[in-house]
Each structure stands twice: as structure tokens, then as C-alpha cells.
Amino acid sequence: MLQENLRRLRRAKGLSQEELADRLHVVRQTVSKWEQGRSVPDADALLRIADIFETPVGALLGGEVALPRQESDVAQKLEQLNALLAQRNKRGRRIWHIVLGVLIACVVLLLLQCMAGVAAHRSYQTATSTVAQIQP
């Protein structure tokens, strides 16, 4: 049990046998022997191992050690946040597209009104100039 727990915790922490050995001030082969079940660490080494992996010594020696679910929980929450932000961004873009469409429609209507006003003014000027030419 110690051997499986030690291997599982070391891998979960992302440590190589060499890195764990350096932290414990032993050689890599010693860590390998512990993980293969060919020897066991002394009491002092067990305390240092428990400290490195932030787990009680009893859990190291007992049954399977449950790995913390922090990483999967954090990843799941980040995924949910990303989905919410994507949905909010999509709504925001849709609103801006609508606002932009309304503004463009208003500008087009104003331009049409201006063009109609200019045309009416020209026809009025043409009509008044024609009347002025007819009347002596």
C-alpha cells in the first residue's frame, strides 16, 4: 500500500523519483526501492514524505490515498465560466449588430429625406424661374 500511495502521490505532484529523492536527501534508487516495495522508509523519511505530499502518515501507510480533486473542480468551473462568457459575448455582439443596423437605417432615411428636400427645392426654383420668365 505504501508503495502504490507513494508512486501515485509523486506522479500527481509531478515529481520524478530524482526530484523526490533530492527533497528527501536520499538517492533516486532508494525512492525506486520504496515504490517497488523492496524496502520501506524510516520514520523520519515518512514524516518528510507526508510533509511534501501534505498528507497524514497514516494515509501513506493505510489504504489508497484519495488525490485532491481541486484541479478537476477548478477546470470544470473554468469551463463553465468560459461557456457563460461566450454566451454573454454572443448576446453583446447581437445587440451591437441590432443597434448598428438601426443607426444605418436612420442615416439612410435622413439621406433620402435630404435628397427629397433638395429635389423639391430645385423643382420649386425651376418653377419660379419659369414663371418669372413668362411674366414680363
Side-chain angles (χ1 to χ4, degrees), residues 107-117:
V107 167
V108 168
L109 286 175
L110 282 173
L111 286 174
L112 288 174
Q113 241 181 351
C114 288
M115 289 171 51

Side-chain angles (χ1 to χ4, degrees), residues 10-11 14-22 28 31 35:
R10 178 181 60 78
R11 288 180 179 168
L15 295 174
S16 66
Q17 287 182 343
E18 184 74 35
E19 291 167 330
L20 179 59
D22 287 343
R28 185 201 56 80
V31 174
E35 288 184 358

Side-chain angles (χ1 to χ4, degrees), residues 1-108:
M1 287 187 239
L2 170 68
Q3 59 204 39
E4 291 104 16
N5 290 339
L6 184 59
R7 183 178 304 118
R8 186 178 303 112
L9 287 168
R10 178 181 60 78
R11 288 180 179 168
K13 196 92 164 175
L15 295 174
S16 66
Q17 287 182 343
E18 184 74 35
E19 291 167 330
L20 179 59
D22 287 343
R23 286 188 179 189
L24 295 171
H25 306 293
V26 295
V27 294
R28 185 201 56 80
Q29 288 81 358
T30 303
V31 174
S32 177
K33 286 180 184 179
W34 293 342
E35 288 184 358
Q36 292 174 8
R38 292 192 290 156
S39 69
V40 293
D42 61 14
D44 186 47
L46 272 175
L47 289 173
R48 287 184 284 160
I49 292 169
D51 189 44
I52 289 170
F53 296 127
E54 299 170 352
T55 186
V57 174
L60 279 173
L61 297 173
E64 283 190 19
V65 175
L67 296 176
R69 293 184 38 143
Q70 284 179 325
E71 292 175 5
S72 63
D73 290 344
V74 170
Q76 191 175 33
K77 288 183 182 186
L78 284 174
E79 186 177 329
Q80 289 172 347
L81 282 173
N82 282 336
L84 287 172
L85 286 173
Q87 187 178 21
R88 189 175 287 169
N89 287 340
K90 188 175 180 181
R91 279 189 212 143
R93 281 190 301 259
R94 191 177 312 143
I95 289 171
W96 280 111
H97 286 141
I98 291 170
V99 168
L100 186 62
V102 169
L103 285 174
I104 289 173
C106 288
V107 167
V108 168

